[in-house]
Amino acid sequence: MPKPLLRIPYTTPFPHPHIHPSSATTQAGALSALHQFFTSPPPSSLPPSTVILTGAGLSVASGLADYRGANGTYRVNKTYRPIYYHEFLASHEARKRYWARSFLGWTTLHKAAPNASHYAVRDLADLGLVSSVITQNVDSFHPRAHPGTNTVELHGYLRSTVCTSCLEEYPRNSFQDELARLNPVWAALLSEAIASGALETEDPIEKRKRGIRMNPDGDVDVPNAPYTTFRYPACPKCLVDPPLVGDGVRGVVEVDDDGAWTSESNAGILKPAVVMFGESISNRVKQAAEDAIDGAGRLLVLATSLATYSAWRLAKRARDRGMPIGIVNMGGVRGEDIFFSHLDPHQLGNQGVRVELPTEQLLPALVEELSRSAQGTRLPHADMPLQGGSGVFKDMLS
């Protein structure tokens, strides 16, 4: 594959964080600081609610790979790089490779489920403490865990495919069935991998011993696999009614005898309903994320290094609005000093919090602590109405 024109941001670790307040190095200290963070009134000009911004680290406890964590793909697989949007659109061979690897990874991704961190976010919303969630994750765990809370899926979702011509969406489960029908040899390989347990182990070393590499977003690399033989379907809608592709010219959508997209086509290409590397986030989603920040008085960042600018800019927007910011992440975060340099060294968490503890341990304990507080004392915004979310889990991909 040719060298990409775009650079993957920050594949090496960020500097070790400074903990704020200094007492938050233990779970007890972190709970005390986050209790102050949630229950202290925000600056007078800001709303009383909290918006949460999450990243890939939140789903590691569900068995999914992340990019930059201690066992993240950029650490254990130095040669890995994701496919770029322009490559996917331009190259039939690149799409074969992508869909073959996604076909092998889908079963594990689809079987995975939200973990304690996702349900703790739900419980924080049920306590009236969280107004919205913005997630960089494409696994749909947030809308599954808390369908009643507004969730902005910043980078899209794997539960669907979308046509690059007509923008029609299709369930990823149905697409998986089509891939299996068009690629019986690959379907047999997948069955063997499942039977051997190769896709079940969470140990990356054991996976490599079994001849596979699990990467984020349902991507499975099988070295020396004949990706060029893989076939994928065309968009059903465009196959029946080819779209206009420019200057009023009708596009061409051709399939082979089994219904697989062929290289004579110039339309009807299905892609995952995610924002690929090099692809722009839609204005609608950008606006929804900014509205979620602007509608809250605090920002809690969970399990992300904020390496992607699309996420970092939201945290920066919160800082520029004067919102207290809390960060719970294992390892450093991009440019995090700007979020905490203004803090009074004696503050106890009301102005900001930086914690380096696992979310799946810390967040359920925080919910328990805040629930006890709510029983005895009215929380500052306990009467805040819950916002209805899009929350329907259709099906998933990459």
Side-chain angles (χ1 to χ4, degrees):
M1 195 171 287
K3 186 176 181 180
L5 298 176
L6 300 171
R7 180 181 64 85
I8 300 171
Y10 303 109
T11 58
T12 55
F14 290 106
H16 197 72
H18 298 287
I19 303 303
H20 301 283
S22 59
S23 58
T25 54
T26 65
Q27 177 152 310
L31 289 174
S32 177
L34 287 167
H35 188 281
Q36 287 286 330
F37 179 80
F38 271 106
T39 59
S40 298
S44 58
S45 61
L46 296 177
S49 60
T50 300
V51 58
I52 290 179
L53 172 61
T54 72
L58 206 73
S59 296
V60 169
S62 296
L64 302 188
D66 67 350
Y67 286 101
R68 298 174 178 83
N71 292 313
T73 292
Y74 293 149
R75 303 275 190 98
V76 301
N77 184 1
K78 299 294 186 182
T79 63
Y80 171 77
R81 74 170 181 84
I83 192 170
Y84 287 77
Y85 180 55
H86 69 276
E87 293 172 336
F88 186 92
L89 291 183
S91 171
H92 183 34
E93 294 303 315
R95 290 193 294 275
K96 289 179 184 180
R97 178 180 180 274
Y98 176 86
W99 283 124
R101 292 162 64 121
S102 173
F103 174 71
L104 295 177
W106 173 248
T107 300
T108 299
L109 184 63
H110 186 54
K111 285 171 58 179
N115 62 57
S117 295
H118 300 96
Y119 290 114
V121 170
R122 174 201 63 190
D123 295 340
L124 290 172
D126 288 347
L127 286 171
L129 296 167
V130 172
S131 56
S132 297
V133 175
I134 305 167
T135 185
Q136 301 167 78
N137 300 342
V138 293
D139 50 37
S140 297
F141 289 166
H142 278 293
R144 288 174 65 184
H146 47 79
T149 300
N150 179 49
T151 299
V152 179
E153 295 172 291
L154 191 63
H155 296 156
Y157 39 84
L158 296 172
R159 60 181 178 263
S160 299
T161 59
V162 61
C163 178
T164 58
S165 300
C166 71
L167 305 183
E168 189 77 12
E169 290 193 13
Y170 302 95
R172 179 60 176 83
N173 267 350
S174 301
F175 187 76
Q176 182 79 357
D177 293 340
E178 279 296 285
L179 293 180
R181 182 184 67 81
L182 291 171
N183 302 278
V185 174
W186 284 85
L189 173 64
L190 176 58
S191 295
E192 291 174 9
I194 292 172
S196 73
L199 299 178
E200 298 296 329
T201 177
E202 297 180 17
D203 183 349
I205 297 175
E206 182 62 26
K207 283 176 177 165
R208 287 199 296 275
K209 285 181 181 177
R210 299 185 185 188
I212 63 172
R213 288 174 173 167
M214 293 289 290
N215 299 310
D217 304 339
D219 174 74
V220 172
D221 181 14
V222 180
N224 303 314
Y227 297 124
T228 189
T229 67
F230 202 80
R231 299 187 295 170
Y232 55 89
C235 169
K237 180 179 177 182
C238 290
L239 184 60
V240 173
D241 183 19
L244 299 177
V245 294
D247 298 327
V249 177
R250 187 68 61 179
V252 176
V253 184
E254 297 286 346
V255 295
D256 65 17
D257 291 343
D258 295 321
W261 192 95
T262 63
S263 57
E264 292 81 13
S265 307
N266 64 1
I269 297 170
L270 294 172
K271 70 176 283 289
V274 300
V275 179
M276 289 179 149
F277 280 79
E279 184 179 4
S280 297
I281 297 173
S282 72
N283 289 332
R284 176 186 62 80
V285 173
K286 280 184 184 177
Q287 188 62 57
E290 291 175 0
D291 289 347
I293 295 292
D294 295 348
R298 303 177 194 79
L299 170 65
L300 181 63
V301 177
L302 298 176
T304 173
S305 62
L306 298 179
T308 60
Y309 183 70
S310 57
W312 187 86
R313 64 181 285 272
L314 294 173
K316 178 64 163 53
R317 186 183 185 92
R319 174 69 187 94
D320 291 345
R321 294 184 69 241
M323 295 166 62
I325 294 176
I327 297 179
V328 181
N329 186 61
M330 299 299 293
V333 167
R334 174 183 180 177
E336 63 181 277
D337 285 349
I338 71 165
F339 305 127
F340 304 114
S341 59
H342 65 291
L343 299 185
D344 181 332
H346 303 295
Q347 67 93 30
L348 299 178
N350 55 300
Q351 296 178 7
V353 175
R354 178 58 167 106
V355 172
E356 191 177 30
L357 291 170
T359 58
E360 66 271 17
Q361 297 175 20
L362 183 64
L363 294 183
L366 176 63
V367 168
E368 186 175 343
E369 173 114 352
L370 289 168
S371 296
R372 285 197 300 266
S373 174
Q375 290 172 6
T377 307
R378 183 178 179 82
L379 292 168
H381 34 286
D383 57 349
M384 182 186 69
L386 293 177
Q387 300 186 23
S390 56
V392 177
F393 179 62
K394 303 177 190 172
D395 290 327
M396 295 195 281
L397 155 344
S398 178

